[in-house]
Amino acid sequence: MKVSRKLLYGLIVFSAAFLLRLAYLSMFVSSDFHACPILDELDYLDLARNLIAHGMNPGAIVWRPPLYPLFLAIVMRSADSVSFTLPAVQILLASFSAVLVFLIALRIFDLRIALLAGFLQAADWDSIMFPTHFLPVTLFTFLFLLTIHFLQQPAGPRRLFLAGVSAGLAALTRPTLLPAILVAALWLVRPLKMSGIRLRLAAYFLGGALLTITPWTTYNAVRFHAFIPVSPLGGYNLYAGNNPSADGKTVWASADELRRRNIPVSLNPALYQKAYARAVGEFIVDQPSTAFRLLLRKVYYLFNTYRISSNFDIPFLVNETVGPLRPVALPTLNIMLLLAALGLPSALRRRRVSAPLLIFSASLAAVLPIFFINERFRTPLLPCLVILAAAGLFHLPESWRSKRHLTLALAVLLAGISSSKLFDVDDPRDLVELDLRHGYAFLLRGRIASARKALARVLAVSPEHPHAQDLAARLEEKSSPPLKSTSPALGRQITPHEDK
């Protein structure tokens, strides 16, 4: 395809994605959710402000992966209206991600499939919603797709080096990508009889990744006298998803276990991480059957269509903010999984160009259940599903005529798993802590109507919750005196937060 035509189609996909996200942002910025960030969103904003106040000194970043706070700080320093500019920049990244989906699909398949994939990504609800929040998912997804795009191109030192750099930046945003980088490097030196050329190609890719990650790893080594590749939160997140009380999807379920361990954040971060990793090992050794069942539960959650909330109550937010965009019907995950299974054989037949997509998506999908599952952690996988689903839709007649029983059985199985409601995947109790934090945050900022709605959701599920009673009393008085920093009102947890 000529460059001019590819550019034109890419521009069309970008425009569709950008306009949808801009329309949502125009509604969201006037909502109480935008004015009252909680949990990780609030923490990331505070961290960016601290970076600016301390002259962008990286020492302000301890627990978080560094790239997203730095990204926020850079945008905030140059923005007149932070509340609008930050989401607007993320909207641009999400729109370019839709273009990358188009380009990746075009490299593997044909123009029809590529355009469908681009438009499906443009209309994907999660990639419309998440750019309006101060969370790293949008930046990570863009870098994740950019890495795949570079690796798809004809192998050359420059492209492979750029692929390594973008992969390294993605890992500095979310370290769960580190295993995928290693798997991709092994793929570059295939087959086992390694030639010097293949080794050099892998070296360019790994060199780009190491050049990006190593400075931060070295800085951590100087600060903490230990090897911490990106973030010391890995042990905490691992234990939050692997302990006798863990439910595989929330931190709240593990709160008592985390308190029982009582590992102080004042510890050297390396020792902090090791203490939690040791606790996970003890759990697996002492209760192997429980640990295995928990892992299976998390794999189920990964493929289930229910959107597991983490930093905000997704159903509550959708009901309050979507408005006229609600008719933009998007294929649900169960349909996407069914079509993606049908499109997988077509991708496998084009292994040379589809391998980066399959390697990175499979590697990330394999890592996530080791920790715990929620919507924003699995969102970067959706563009990969979109590409395979677009191919599956066009190849549906072919799959049916050729009677590919194994492919059809896999498609039906994945659709069934995704559509079912087993293992308390949609337990309303999961949202109680989030709604309480929303309620307190709304109250503190004088958004009384929204605070009452959040409280009503809590009372419908957990009427005896002590914080619910406290919030109800405060709303009854229509006053909001200053609250302690450990209160749900400020949306913070006593221990470090979820992001890996």
Side-chain angles (χ1 to χ4, degrees):
M1 180 186 291
K2 293 182 179 179
V3 174
S4 58
R5 286 185 64 196
K6 186 188 294 187
L7 183 63
L8 174 62
Y9 289 129
L11 183 61
I12 292 171
V13 170
F14 176 87
S15 300
F18 182 75
L19 289 174
L20 282 172
R21 285 151 185 75
L22 187 64
Y24 179 71
L25 176 61
S26 66
M27 296 182 293
F28 184 73
V29 291
S30 62
S31 74
D32 292 340
F33 290 93
H34 183 66
C36 307
I38 61 172
L39 290 169
D40 288 16
E41 289 192 77
L42 183 59
D43 197 51
Y44 278 118
L45 287 171
D46 287 346
L47 194 50
R49 293 185 185 106
N50 286 339
L51 276 170
I52 294 171
H54 293 89
M56 306 300 281
N57 182 350
I61 305 171
V62 176
W63 297 105
R64 300 290 186 180
L67 190 62
Y68 188 66
L70 182 61
F71 166 80
L72 286 182
I74 291 171
V75 176
M76 290 169 70
R77 284 186 69 174
S78 57
D80 294 328
S81 175
V82 171
S83 63
F84 184 85
T85 304
L86 275 174
V89 171
Q90 295 191 142
I91 278 175
L92 286 172
L93 286 178
S95 301
F96 280 119
S97 292
V99 177
L100 287 171
V101 166
F102 164 73
L103 293 174
I104 293 168
L106 185 62
R107 181 76 177 150
I108 303 173
F109 303 110
D110 57 30
L111 179 61
R112 300 172 307 158
I113 293 174
L115 279 173
L116 176 60
F119 286 126
L120 285 175
Q121 180 64 22
D124 175 65
W125 163 241
D126 284 343
S127 69
I128 291 173
M129 172 183 67
F130 277 114
T132 60
H133 295 270
F134 308 118
L135 294 167
V137 57
T138 300
L139 177 61
F140 176 79
T141 302
F142 171 75
L143 293 169
F144 178 72
L145 293 172
L146 187 63
T147 302
I148 294 171
H149 173 65
F150 280 136
L151 284 174
Q152 276 190 314
Q153 306 309 307
R158 182 185 301 175
R159 288 193 179 96
L160 286 171
F161 179 77
L162 289 174
V165 170
S166 59
L169 291 173
L172 289 175
T173 307
R174 186 171 288 170
T176 42
L177 196 68
L178 288 172
I181 294 175
L182 296 177
V183 174
L186 291 174
W187 168 73
L188 285 169
V189 296
R190 72 198 188 284
L192 293 177
K193 186 179 178 181
M194 298 178 290
S195 68
I197 294 176
R198 290 195 182 279
L199 285 171
R200 284 198 296 272
L201 292 177
Y204 283 117
F205 173 70
L206 275 179
L210 289 173
L211 186 67
T212 309
I213 299 170
T214 301
W216 184 252
T217 306
T218 304
Y219 184 67
N220 281 339
V222 172
R223 283 196 295 175
F224 307 129
H225 307 289
F227 177 68
I228 301 175
V230 178
S231 166
L233 265 187
Y236 170 85
N237 284 300
L238 194 63
Y239 190 68
N242 298 275
N243 65 74
S245 299
D247 62 2
K249 54 183 173 172
T250 70
V251 174
W252 328 118
S254 302
D256 289 340
E257 283 293 327
L258 290 166
R259 276 193 292 269
R260 186 177 69 82
R261 288 286 170 177
N262 194 29
I263 299 174
V265 293
S266 57
L267 270 181
N268 178 296
L271 297 177
Y272 182 87
Q273 179 167 258
K274 287 180 181 177
Y276 274 122
R278 192 180 304 113
V280 172
E282 293 171 2
F283 165 62
I284 294 172
V285 170
D286 294 341
Q287 304 181 49
S289 59
T290 302
F292 182 67
R293 287 196 300 270
L294 181 59
L295 178 62
L296 292 180
R297 177 190 291 253
K298 289 185 283 188
V299 172
Y300 172 82
Y301 290 158
L302 180 66
F303 291 102
N304 193 270
T305 194
Y306 182 75
R307 292 185 170 100
I308 300 171
S309 304
S310 57
N311 260 247
F312 49 88
D313 180 336
I314 294 176
F316 187 20
L317 181 140
V318 170
N319 289 334
E320 295 294 312
T321 66
V322 171
L325 281 184
R326 190 179 294 278
V328 180
L330 309 172
T332 56
L333 184 62
N334 51 359
I335 298 174
M336 298 293 280
L337 280 168
L338 188 152
L339 292 174
L342 297 177
L344 182 60
S346 299
L348 290 173
R349 286 197 297 270
R350 301 166 174 85
R351 284 190 293 273
R352 191 179 67 82
V353 288
S354 67
L357 174 75
L358 300 176
I359 286 170
F360 271 84
S361 57
S363 298
L364 183 59
V367 169
L368 291 180
I370 296 173
F371 296 90
F372 51 92
I373 305 298
N374 59 45
E375 185 67 5
R376 67 188 173 102
F377 290 165
R378 72 179 184 185
T379 288
L381 293 171
L382 295 179
C384 305
L385 276 182
V386 159
I387 293 170
L388 296 176
L393 185 63
F394 276 99
H395 294 150
L396 183 58
E398 176 189 343
S399 298
W400 186 261
R401 285 195 304 269
S402 61
K403 297 180 180 179
R404 293 176 178 160
H405 300 301
L406 186 60
T407 300
L408 291 171
L410 176 62
V412 172
L413 175 64
L414 288 175
I417 291 173
S418 180
S419 302
S420 60
K421 298 300 178 189
L422 306 175
F423 302 115
D424 296 320
V425 65
D426 58 351
D427 189 341
R429 291 173 296 181
D430 296 343
L431 302 174
V432 167
E433 297 295 334
L434 288 171
D435 287 330
L436 276 171
R437 282 161 171 76
H438 281 309
Y440 275 106
F442 294 149
L443 174 62
L444 278 172
R445 293 162 181 81
R447 317 289 177 124
I448 303 301
S450 291
R452 292 189 186 282
K453 290 179 182 178
L455 175 61
R457 291 171 63 88
V458 174
L459 293 176
V461 177
S462 186
E464 302 303 321
H465 196 294
H467 285 305
Q469 300 302 319
D470 175 70
L471 179 58
R474 292 176 185 274
L475 282 169
E476 186 67 28
E477 298 169 2
K478 293 187 178 181
S479 63
S480 53
L483 301 172
K484 296 180 180 179
S485 61
T486 53
S487 165
L490 297 182
R492 292 179 171 85
Q493 294 173 219
I494 297 173
T495 49
H497 309 281
E498 295 177 19
D499 234 322
K500 297 183 277 294

